[in-house]
Amino acid sequence: MLSGTALASPALAAPALDGVLVDNVEGVTPDGRGGVERFEGFLIDPEGKIAQIFHKGDKRPKKVAYKVDGKGRIVVPGMIDAHGHVMATGFAKMTLDLSMAKSLDEALSRIAAWTAAHPEAPWILGGGWNQASWGLDRMPTAAELDKVTGGKPAWLMRIDGHAGWANSAALSAAGVTATTADPAGGEVLRVAGSKAPAGVLIDAATALVEKKRPKPRPEDADTAFGEAQLQFLAAGVTTVADMGTSIEDWQTFRRASDKHQLRMRIVAYAGGIEAMQLIGGPGPTPWIDDDRLKMNGIKLYLDGALGSRGAWLKAPYADDAGTKGLPQMSSTQLGNLMSRAAMDGFQVAVHAIGDEANATVLDSIEELSQTYKGDRRWRIEHAQIVDPADIPRFARNGVIASMQPQHEASDRTMAEARLGPQRLAGAYAWKSIAATGAKLAFGSDTPVEPAHPFEGLAVAISRTGADGQPMGGWQPQEILTREAALGAYTTGAAYSLFAEDRLGRIAPGLRADFLFVDEDPMTAAPQALRGTHVLETWIGGRLAWSAAQDGGKAGVRR
Ligand SMILES: [Zn+2]
């Protein structure tokens, strides 16, 4: 087994001066100019960077420290997830997961089972629920949750992280009563015909319970981070942009680095001005630990999500004429926060889902660009619903569209209901945005969607879901070419992180982050591409994870 010998080889653990030759592969990598390049082999230097690429007939070096025979397997660059939530991904594994529940009844029975199995837990915590996939045209209630939680506080986040479902014990622990006012940018759903809280809290209102729930201990965070790394590596993700990093999250990453247990690369975007200053001090951190960790900037939220009607729209919701969504702050406040970060050279990433939110961020960027010149790489996270009139403003201002193809497949019917037919032209409009010259950076938004870039690639080239529906793709004019889709998960994502000089391609001078996979992303049919198996994940010229090694548990580096 290649992986077995590779792991056991002392030469690979510490490459000698001559480097490592990976040969006899069917290699494919973006070429950095919008196309792809094919190759047969490559040489990794002792620093873990690509030294040379070999095409058919090219002479290979005679003396190398170690040779990896690819046995004709497919090699692609390590995938970069340009928007994920690392710690939430790990904690989702350790807490109650409702993402598979198909109905409210099924969710309630899972909650009951978890509660019975964890008598020691002071709170019932978890998430992943989605009332839309339960065929429910309303949010679940505290009364429903009370029946299965035996008086213990329960707090369960919606799949999109923009709403939380509390039972009566959690509401009273948080002091949420009929007299609690809706906070700015948030909403406490009420029992019909009264002021009593119904159980679900949206966007800024979730903080009322978040403040009171027990915080994980550092050792729990370490365990969760280990789980998260395994998930990313097994899915072929070698770098992730962590969106909304707290100081505790950063400390967790640093502890792993200190113990040589940081197995992948993380680029952090702090979850607010305070975390930004605590982590970065006067500016972004340098790359540390052989380019495994860096803090680039800040992640801000301008609106909520479509599923809970928190996305900020220009016109009222098609399925609720009484609301245009929940802006989290005014445009002045947004401009002030963006300015505060840009002043010290931090990169700014703003969550904007609705068309009004996207237009407002673009307004702020246009204004701030007058003051903060140079290569800023402003990012809009999600850019889900954009007024077609605003689409050209991305390229004009060098704004990166950080988008998540899997959201399109999961949310298309919900988006149709929320938006009505008129507004769909600018929904998940990858191709239209890219066509204006703007850069795309793709990610998963894990744990909202699984951190599975090959599933995302399949959606990007087909606009269909796991069931192959709808035939021909939803709004098929937005289907991307394979080159563009692969580029958005590699070179485009690297660019969005200021990392194109070190990550994103298999090319001389860049870090040797690559995967052995069983499908060719340039030719596999969408359903096959979706089911791509990652066989091995290499980071910095070393094997970081292998399917053959018991789920990768043996892949601890050094
Ligand atoms: Zn997110």
Side-chain angles (χ1 to χ4, degrees):
M1 219 44 240
L2 167 81
S3 47
T5 39
L7 268 183
S9 161
L12 196 69
L17 280 176
D18 301 290
V20 173
L21 176 67
V22 180
D23 211 349
N24 189 22
V25 302
E26 278 195 42
V28 56
T29 178
D31 62 7
R33 297 179 302 276
V36 296
E37 180 186 349
R38 297 267 177 189
F39 56 89
E40 275 187 353
F42 52 97
L43 184 68
I44 303 168
D45 75 14
E47 277 181 75
K49 293 179 181 166
I50 306 281
Q52 231 183 318
I53 304 287
F54 304 112
H55 301 95
K56 201 175 165 63
D58 287 347
K59 256 181 83 177
R60 313 307 206 243
K62 283 217 172 56
K63 238 184 83 193
V64 292
Y66 191 72
K67 209 174 144 176
V68 175
D69 180 0
K71 301 190 176 108
R73 293 180 305 174
I74 297 152
V75 165
V76 297
M79 297 291 134
I80 301 176
D81 191 324
H83 181 124
H85 304 278
V86 173
M87 294 308 299
T89 298
F91 280 120
K93 271 268 176 196
M94 297 164 63
T95 54
L96 173 55
D97 178 12
L98 296 174
S99 60
M100 302 309 247
K102 298 270 184 292
S103 66
L104 175 60
D105 281 344
E106 191 189 333
L108 291 172
S109 68
R110 280 174 187 255
I111 297 163
W114 195 94
T115 305
H118 296 84
E120 79 296 344
W123 278 53
I124 299 154
L125 296 170
W129 58 272
N130 181 0
Q131 86 289 349
S133 74
W134 298 342
L136 213 59
D137 59 1
R138 59 169 178 89
M139 289 293 189
T141 66
E144 284 159 339
L145 199 44
D146 287 344
K147 284 187 224 151
V148 291
T149 46
K152 233 184 226 185
W155 176 239
L156 304 164
M157 294 306 287
R158 193 176 185 278
I159 181 77
D160 59 12
H162 287 271
W165 177 18
N167 65 1
S168 299
L171 288 172
S172 79
V176 179
T177 66
T179 59
T180 305
D182 289 349
E187 190 184 359
V188 177
L189 297 190
R190 315 281 172 168
V191 174
S194 92
K195 282 271 173 196
V200 166
L201 310 179
I202 296 175
D203 285 318
T206 58
L208 298 168
V209 179
E210 279 296 311
K211 279 192 302 221
K212 298 291 176 179
R213 74 169 178 93
K215 289 282 167 287
R217 300 169 305 166
E219 50 268 48
D220 298 331
D222 292 345
T223 306
F225 182 48
E227 285 286 346
Q229 290 200 90
L230 260 185
Q231 284 189 56
F232 284 113
L233 293 171
V237 175
T238 51
T239 301
V240 60
D242 186 48
M243 283 294 154
T245 312
S246 68
I247 183 65
E248 291 84 4
D249 298 344
W250 179 258
Q251 298 289 34
T252 305
F253 305 152
R254 290 299 308 251
R255 278 198 300 279
S257 175
D258 291 346
K259 290 183 240 167
H260 305 307
Q261 287 168 358
L262 188 50
R263 297 165 61 189
M264 60 183 303
R265 305 186 196 280
I266 297 176
V267 181
Y269 291 81
I273 297 288
E274 194 193 350
M276 179 187 88
Q277 290 174 323
L278 284 170
I279 297 168
T285 71
W287 288 96
I288 55 180
D289 196 1
D290 293 332
D291 292 353
R292 279 187 171 77
L293 188 61
K294 185 180 195 311
M295 189 275 235
N296 264 4
I298 192 169
K299 154 87 179 300
L300 300 168
Y301 280 95
L302 181 54
D303 66 347
L306 217 46
S308 45
R309 296 192 188 83
W312 189 19
L313 301 177
K314 291 188 175 185
Y317 278 78
D319 57 359
D320 185 351
T323 182
K324 292 183 185 177
L326 290 170
Q328 297 297 295
M329 60 184 92
S330 70
S331 59
T332 310
Q333 286 170 310
L334 175 71
N336 287 342
L337 292 176
M338 290 172 73
S339 178
R340 179 65 198 79
M343 191 187 300
D344 285 338
F346 290 102
Q347 189 187 6
V348 178
V350 186
H351 166 118
I353 293 206
D355 51 8
E356 182 65 29
N358 276 280
T360 303
V361 183
L362 288 163
D363 289 344
S364 286
I365 290 170
E366 275 163 13
E367 199 180 312
L368 292 172
S369 298
Q370 308 299 314
T371 310
Y372 304 109
K373 308 218 181 271
D375 188 2
R376 293 283 173 168
R377 303 197 192 179
W378 310 94
R379 297 174 50 133
I380 295 187
E381 303 306 312
H382 310 304
Q384 250 170 43
I385 316 302
V386 183
D387 183 339
D390 290 323
I391 285 179
R393 299 169 71 195
F394 280 79
R396 207 183 296 149
N397 297 287
V399 180
I400 294 158
S402 166
M403 303 177 79
Q404 301 77 32
Q406 289 148 290
H407 285 327
E408 182 276 306
S410 297
D411 295 347
R412 66 181 169 84
T413 46
M414 182 267 289
E416 284 173 353
R418 299 283 185 272
L419 300 170
Q422 267 80 47
R423 279 178 287 196
L424 298 181
Y428 315 94
W430 317 314
K431 191 166 183 185
S432 298
I433 292 176
T436 62
K439 288 252 187 342
L440 294 180
F442 278 171
S444 65
D445 203 10
T446 173
V448 180
E449 297 284 346
H452 197 329
F454 293 96
E455 184 180 302
L457 274 173
V459 176
I461 63 161
S462 71
R463 307 271 288 190
T464 61
D467 54 1
Q469 296 298 319
M471 280 281 282
W474 188 80
Q475 304 282 323
Q477 71 280 2
E478 297 295 342
I479 288 174
L480 287 179
T481 64
R482 288 170 190 264
E483 288 82 356
L486 183 63
Y489 280 105
T490 54
T491 51
Y495 179 86
S496 78
L497 307 177
F498 284 95
E500 72 278 12
D501 59 340
R502 59 197 83 209
L503 308 174
R505 288 184 294 138
I506 298 174
L510 273 64
R511 294 279 177 188
D513 295 358
F514 60 94
L515 317 173
F516 284 101
V517 293
D518 68 349
E519 295 286 350
D520 185 335
M522 304 317 290
T523 56
Q527 291 308 332
L529 183 55
R530 174 184 292 273
T532 297
H533 289 103
V534 176
L535 308 171
E536 291 179 7
T537 301
W538 291 65
I539 296 182
R542 288 175 189 169
L543 185 66
W545 182 89
S546 151
Q549 293 284 324
D550 189 25
K553 290 193 187 77
V556 179
R557 86 187 156 96
R558 285 174 212 162

